[in-house]
Amino acid sequence: MSDPTTHCLFYHYTPSLAPAGFFVVALLAAALLHSFQLFKNRAWYFIPFVIGNISESIGYVGRAISSKQPPNWTTGPYITQSLLTLLAPTLFAPSIYIILGQMIRLTDGEQHSITRANISVYITNTSLHPKSLHLGGGMMATAKMASTQKNGHPLRRLLFMILAGLFYIRTPRRPTSRSITVLVLWQRYLLILYVASTFIMIRSIFRIAEYIKVKIDRC
């Protein structure tokens, strides 16, 4: 007979309640703020971003619950925090890519961007997201995560930053009339995209390190 005290070692550390609670509140606040901006400006392309905020906040709820359970962690909160925090970057990305495309069109800057490459990266990104999500979820359940996540989010984020950087550098050197006269501070928005993408990439790298290091004991 199995020992009733046997449990799965889902974490090789004890999740902290305070950071998890902080991120739940912060992400929900961000979701509310972006929802307000979304409806006010009819920026429907931001819907995936808002859903990503909500998804990640629910994931951190799962982590907060896990912080109260060591060492007898239950499966539900662990899977919730693993899957939903993995899903969030795949939802942030399309909104960020669309904003870049709008900045390029706004400034008539197609000649300064690798337009075909931008489209290809977006299509590749959106087509790989469902696959990486399903594979990632299954791998987390069986403790086999490294290669899919390692070759996924950070690489796509880096490619995006390179494409955005080329546009950012080329346009001031050979400005279009629209890039000079347009009232929108497009360079500032591009810098914001860079900062957001950098934080998402750093977050993805930390997740990679976590899944490479942590091995789930078999029940």
Side-chain angles (χ1 to χ4, degrees), residues 2-58:
S2 61
D3 185 353
T5 63
T6 300
H7 60 273
C8 292
L9 185 59
F10 292 124
Y11 303 93
H12 284 202
Y13 57 91
T14 300
S16 178
L17 176 61
F22 170 80
F23 283 112
V24 169
V25 174
L27 289 164
L28 285 177
L32 289 173
L33 176 60
H34 286 112
S35 296
F36 172 76
Q37 295 291 342
L38 186 155
F39 287 103
K40 178 183 177 182
N41 300 307
R42 298 183 179 274
W44 308 122
Y45 57 85
F46 238 71
I47 291 175
F49 200 95
V50 172
I51 296 174
N53 276 323
I54 296 172
S55 170
E56 190 152 19
S57 67
I58 296 173

Side-chain angles (χ1 to χ4, degrees), residues 123-135:
I123 293 174
T124 301
N125 182 75
T126 52
S127 65
L128 285 178
H129 276 162
K131 182 177 180 181
S132 64
L133 175 61
H134 291 307
L135 287 177

Side-chain angles (χ1 to χ4, degrees), residues 100-122:
L100 173 61
Q102 289 190 333
M103 292 299 102
I104 293 173
R105 289 192 296 270
L106 181 69
T107 58
D108 290 333
E110 286 83 359
Q111 67 269 29
H112 299 314
S113 67
I114 309 175
T115 307
R116 292 183 180 275
N118 276 306
I119 295 173
S120 299
V121 169
Y122 177 77

Side-chain angles (χ1 to χ4, degrees), residues 167-179:
F167 172 71
Y168 184 84
I169 293 171
R170 289 176 175 179
T171 302
R173 290 179 179 177
R174 298 178 59 185
T176 63
S177 58
R178 286 282 294 167
S179 68

